[in-house]
């Protein structure tokens, strides 16, 4: 009955038919077996006894390969399915393989994976189910361990010249640090983090995981608010792997004056409302409405006296417009009519106008809603 004239090397039965291997393919011993012997110890699926998935109990990251990966809001079941799928092997002789994985949550840390496989082997349809338990083991990832340990390599000290930073400057500085870290995280950089923000009476000190982050944060703060940065290497320490870490302090000095301050440069041309402290201090003269810019050598901090801020101004009634250079308003304290200089930002149709009374006298300010467009 043998059409091949060959016999099974294990049981000696004649082998009825056999697909000839492609030319050049070695005839392995398994291939020579009769179907009965071949299927006797055939496994369609090769599965591990169990799979462990390490997750960080702090941030939810998953350890994959040799690194930690943020999985966002995804369920660990998805991760378990991925890990099991990657670990399962289907016999190379199987054709038309189809499979399905059905997760069963056993408890918080165990997912039992029911994996159904089917395929054709030697023309025979086979089905096989394997069950692989996936154990979620909760630990601490490197980043969370470092944050918990207070690790940092760069710090940004946000301070201001002759004053404390404003609430806006403090909030923005911290926001800049968090935004930058978020950008790095979005790019998959897990080594970028804010370790700590220490709110000192002189201003916040922001500790960051790397020197370059701290350097970028300091630059962005001064780009937004003006001022200067000095960097001071502080000390060399070791990280948990024994690598030397060179710590650098970036000392940010915000300018003495901020937009909205009213200052007197004491140059005889009257007070100035500060518009910008980036580069050279810029503003507008309250007597004329003309632009003011500090001399290059004075930079962001000209020798000037602060008279108040635009928040100190009060809405004052306009009595009459005298001429191109003078307008009469009510003194906000005494309610007497007073003649003051008429700047070109003054709107002759306005019934009230913000005015600031200071040691240099009473001055009109540009209306708040036109702050950015008062130059004509
Ligand atoms: Zn046999
Ligand atoms: Zn973590």
């Amino acid at each position: 009955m043998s059409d091949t004239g060959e016999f099974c090397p294990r049981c000696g039965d004649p082998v009825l038919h056999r697909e000839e291997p492609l030319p050049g393919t070695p005839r392995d011993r398994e291939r020579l077996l009769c179907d009965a012997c071949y299927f006797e110890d055939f496994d369609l699926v090769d599965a591990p006894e169990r799979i462990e998935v390490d997750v960080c109990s702090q941030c939810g990251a998953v350890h994959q390969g040799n690194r930690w990966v943020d999985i966002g809001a995804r369920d660990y079941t998805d991760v378990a399915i991925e890990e099991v799928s990657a670990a399962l092997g289907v016999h190379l002789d199987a054709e038309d393989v189809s499979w399905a994985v059905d997760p069963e949550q056993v408890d918080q840390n165990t997912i039992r994976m029911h994996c159904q496989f089917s395929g054709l082997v030697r023309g025979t349809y086979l089905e096989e189910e394997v069950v692989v338990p996936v154990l979620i083991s909760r630990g601490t990832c490197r980043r969370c361990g470092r944050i918990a340990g207070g690790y940092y390599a760069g710090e940004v000290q946000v301070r201001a010249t002759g004053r404390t930073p404003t609430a806006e400057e403090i909030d923005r500085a911290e926001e800049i640090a968090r935004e930058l870290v978020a950008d790095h995280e979005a790019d998959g950089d897990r080594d970028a983090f804010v370790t700590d923000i220490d709110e000192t009476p002189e201003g916040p000190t922001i500790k960051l995981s790397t020197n370059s982050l701290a350097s970028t944060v300091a630059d962005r703060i001064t780009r937004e608010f003006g001022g200067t940065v000095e960097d001071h290497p502080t000390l060399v320490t070791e990280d948990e792997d024994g690598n030397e870490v060179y710590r650098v302090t970036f000392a940010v000095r915000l300018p003495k004056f901020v937009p909205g301050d009213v200052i007197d440069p004491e140059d005889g041309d009257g007070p100035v409302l500060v518009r910008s402290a980036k580069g050279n201090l810029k503003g507008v003269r309250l007597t004329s409405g003309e632009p003011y810019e500090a001399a290059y050598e004075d930079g962001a901090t000209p020798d000037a006296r602060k008279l108040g801020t635009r928040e100190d101004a009060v809405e004052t009634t306009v009595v009459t417009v005298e001429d191109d250079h003078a307008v009469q308003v009510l003194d906000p304290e005494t309610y007497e009519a007073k003649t003051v200089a008429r700047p070109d930002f003054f709107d002759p149709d306005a019934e009230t106008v913000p005015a600031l009374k200071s040691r240099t006298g009473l001055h009109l300010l540009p209306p708040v809603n036109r702050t950015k467009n008062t130059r004509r």
Side-chain angles (χ1 to χ4, degrees):
M1 279 292 289
S2 161
D3 18 319
T4 60
E6 291 183 44
F7 298 92
C8 171
R10 187 179 294 176
C11 67
D13 281 357
V15 176
L16 295 183
H17 58 84
R18 174 188 297 134
E19 287 172 36
E20 282 304 310
L22 294 171
T25 312
R27 290 194 160 201
D28 55 42
R29 192 182 135 79
E30 201 176 57
R31 200 176 271 281
L32 297 172
L33 295 173
C34 72
D35 285 357
C37 291
Y38 178 82
F39 283 119
E40 202 176 313
D41 48 20
F42 179 85
D43 282 321
L44 180 61
V45 184
D46 181 29
E49 261 176 47
R50 62 178 204 167
I51 288 176
E52 272 189 42
V53 178
D54 290 334
V55 306
C56 175
S57 56
Q58 302 294 311
C59 68
V62 174
H63 199 238
Q64 287 179 328
N66 57 356
R67 61 196 205 99
W68 288 91
V69 180
D70 290 303
I71 60 158
R74 274 203 298 154
D75 198 300
Y76 289 131
T77 309
D78 292 341
V79 177
I81 291 173
E82 264 174 40
E83 296 283 324
V84 168
S85 307
L88 291 172
V90 180
H91 200 285
L92 286 174
D93 290 350
E95 295 167 333
D96 296 335
V97 175
S98 65
W99 59 286
V101 177
D102 186 19
E104 177 200 352
Q105 189 88 39
V106 178
D107 58 44
Q108 204 203 347
N109 295 322
T110 315
I111 301 166
R112 201 178 281 148
M113 289 293 176
H114 299 267
C115 316
Q116 255 95 25
F117 283 82
S118 64
L120 279 177
V121 180
R122 289 197 173 190
T124 305
Y125 178 78
L126 295 178
E127 277 183 329
E128 194 169 318
E129 176 178 326
V130 290
V131 178
V132 184
V134 178
L135 306 175
I136 308 284
S137 104
R138 285 165 211 271
T140 304
C141 75
R142 191 174 108 119
R143 176 175 65 181
C144 291
R146 285 185 151 192
I147 294 171
Y151 174 93
Y152 69 100
E155 68 173 24
V156 182
Q157 294 175 347
V158 184
R159 307 289 184 266
T161 306
R163 61 181 178 90
T164 52
T166 64
E168 190 204 347
E169 288 167 337
I170 292 170
D171 290 350
R172 251 323 266 163
E174 298 178 2
E175 197 175 48
I176 285 168
R178 297 196 193 284
E179 280 172 1
L180 183 67
V181 164
D183 287 349
H184 277 256
E185 274 178 359
D187 291 342
D189 178 3
R190 300 200 88 249
D191 287 330
F193 53 84
V194 176
T195 310
D196 182 43
I197 298 179
D198 184 14
E199 312 273 1
T200 80
E202 294 80 38
T205 297
I206 306 169
K207 292 180 177 169
L208 293 139
S209 55
T210 70
N211 285 332
S212 75
L213 277 177
S215 168
T216 307
V217 167
D219 285 345
R220 287 192 184 176
I221 291 171
T222 51
R223 206 187 305 158
E224 206 161 310
F225 294 108
T228 57
V229 183
E230 278 180 17
D231 49 299
H232 309 286
T234 46
L235 66 124
V236 175
T237 179
E238 278 187 2
D239 69 11
E240 69 271 29
D241 301 327
N243 302 311
E244 282 195 338
V245 179
Y246 198 46
R247 272 189 192 157
V248 182
T249 297
F250 295 87
V252 171
R253 284 273 153 205
L254 296 171
K256 186 172 177 185
F257 304 116
V258 299
D261 280 353
V262 176
I263 61 167
D264 184 4
E266 295 176 327
D267 56 4
D269 288 334
V272 167
L273 172 66
V274 177
R275 298 279 199 216
S276 160
K278 281 182 263 182
N280 296 349
L281 183 125
K282 294 170 199 69
V284 59
R285 290 282 185 187
L286 295 184
T287 46
S288 61
E290 308 237 299
Y292 165 85
E293 183 166 347
Y296 176 76
E297 56 272 25
D298 294 333
T301 310
D303 195 12
R305 202 152 52 140
K306 182 169 164 177
L307 301 174
T309 72
R310 79 166 309 135
E311 277 75 52
D312 300 328
V314 289
E315 281 296 314
T316 305
T317 305
V318 177
V319 180
T320 180
V321 181
E322 293 184 352
D323 58 31
D324 285 351
H325 305 288
V327 59
Q328 217 178 73
V329 297
L330 285 188
D331 183 306
E333 283 172 12
T334 64
Y335 297 99
E336 287 170 48
K338 251 187 196 162
T339 299
V340 297
R342 175 184 166 177
D344 61 11
F345 53 72
F346 172 74
D347 175 2
D349 298 327
E351 289 174 8
T352 65
V353 63
L356 177 73
K357 200 170 181 183
S358 72
R359 63 185 119 189
T360 59
L362 188 61
H363 288 95
L364 307 187
L365 266 65
V368 176
N369 58 356
R370 288 167 56 210
T371 306
K372 286 185 173 129
N373 298 307
T374 45
R375 280 189 206 171
R376 291 178 188 165

